[in-house]
Amino acid sequence: MNARAAWLALSLLGLSVLAVAVGAGIGSTGFESVWRMRDDPVAWQIVTEVRLPRTVGAWLIGALLGLAGAVAQGLFRNPLADPFLLGSASGAMLAVAIALALMGGGTVTATWVGKMGLTGAAFLGALGGVLLTLLLAKGVQHTMRLLLAGVVVGYVLGALKDLVTLSAPEVLSAMVGFVLGNTAFIGWSACVVMAVVLLPAMALAWVLARVLDGLSLGEATAQSLGLPLAPMRAALIGVLALATGTAVAQAGLIGFVGLAAPHLVRPLARVTHGPLVLLSAMMGGVLLMLADIAARALIWPQELPVGVLTAVLGGGYLLWLMYRRTR
């Protein structure tokens, strides 16, 4: 990691700490709860059990999406690739729609679905979407076939989700919260789950980063370097699916974070894919944490769905980037 990358990592770390402190004071009672924490058990509970896990959880979700975005863009050699490209988002939406529909059914069905929860359903749906993509693509050998299979699976599972919601209109209101993205209900247990997934996923992506470096020169060049592309590509897709599925399961669909984070890192630090995945994860965490704070503060005391805010800001940034490059 060069000096610019090291400075960027330290800056992102400092921003993360500062944003956690600000996030602890954003809420219906403002920073007053922070000042009264030592003397007021209610204020202590608000800060430590509601605001802090939400803020830290937003960072972890953004880090998972940033990591997945860097892996996806390197794997597909496409700067517009995002973490939801392999059908994970559509699979999660379909699974949540089915779970919500079943929860409105008989008591026996509602019992096991309720035990699994919407979080578990979203995670299984996301992984199921990726596995279906791999099945249609007949493995991971052909990047273009994998990309096309992901697009097809996304459309098909999205259409099935629409059929489920049409047959059970009572799930529409609950689906809206999932589709728009929401960090309001993240607790410390969810933070632990995401941290347990993030650390090994980041370590594996770092180890396999030389495959992404080789693929950036073309598949023929990567093979000439003696890299076992098939198993390493499968492992990278596993990292992509696991990181994306975990993030979607905890907060719903939050767009543009995984797409924008690597784009923001590249001009600031010219690095290989090893440091890039680490810096993209940190950038994604900072982006989503700042977006979550803004979503709470912009129209206080009401809140904006954080997924809407990231879509507006991320889409605006990419449009500006395209405009600047065409100029």
Side-chain angles (χ1 to χ4, degrees), residues 12 62-63 65-67 70 261-263 265 275-285:
L12 292 173
L65 293 175
L67 169 66
H263 281 276
V265 168
L276 179 65
V277 294
L278 172 62
L279 292 172
S280 296
M282 296 180 70
M283 181 66 78

Side-chain angles (χ1 to χ4, degrees), residues 105-133:
T107 55
V108 176
T109 303
T111 300
W112 68 264
V113 175
K115 288 181 179 179
M116 181 176 65
L118 295 182
T119 298
F123 181 75
L124 293 177
L127 292 185
V130 175
L131 291 176
L132 182 58
T133 299

Side-chain angles (χ1 to χ4, degrees), residues 306-322:
V306 67
V308 173
L309 196 58
T310 59
V312 171
L313 297 178
Y317 166 74
L318 291 177
L319 288 174
W320 173 80
L321 191 64
M322 291 172 60

Side-chain angles (χ1 to χ4, degrees), residues 6-115:
W7 276 111
L8 178 59
L10 288 175
S11 300
L12 292 173
L13 183 60
L15 275 174
S16 299
V17 174
L18 180 61
V20 168
V22 174
I26 300 294
S28 58
T29 57
F31 281 91
E32 183 182 351
S33 296
V34 179
W35 314 138
R36 294 189 291 106
M37 281 177 58
R38 297 181 64 180
D39 303 321
D40 188 348
V42 175
W44 173 271
Q45 187 174 16
I46 289 173
V47 173
T48 60
E49 299 297 328
V50 178
R51 295 181 186 173
L52 280 178
R54 175 176 181 171
T55 306
V56 173
W59 191 95
L60 289 168
I61 292 167
L64 287 166
L65 293 175
L67 169 66
V71 170
Q73 291 175 16
L75 191 62
F76 294 109
R77 302 196 303 276
N78 188 336
L80 294 179
D82 76 344
F84 304 140
L85 202 57
L86 294 183
S88 57
S90 53
M93 285 193 296
L94 175 61
V96 168
I98 292 174
L100 288 170
L102 291 177
M103 284 179 183
T107 55
V108 176
T109 303
T111 300
W112 68 264
V113 175
K115 288 181 179 179

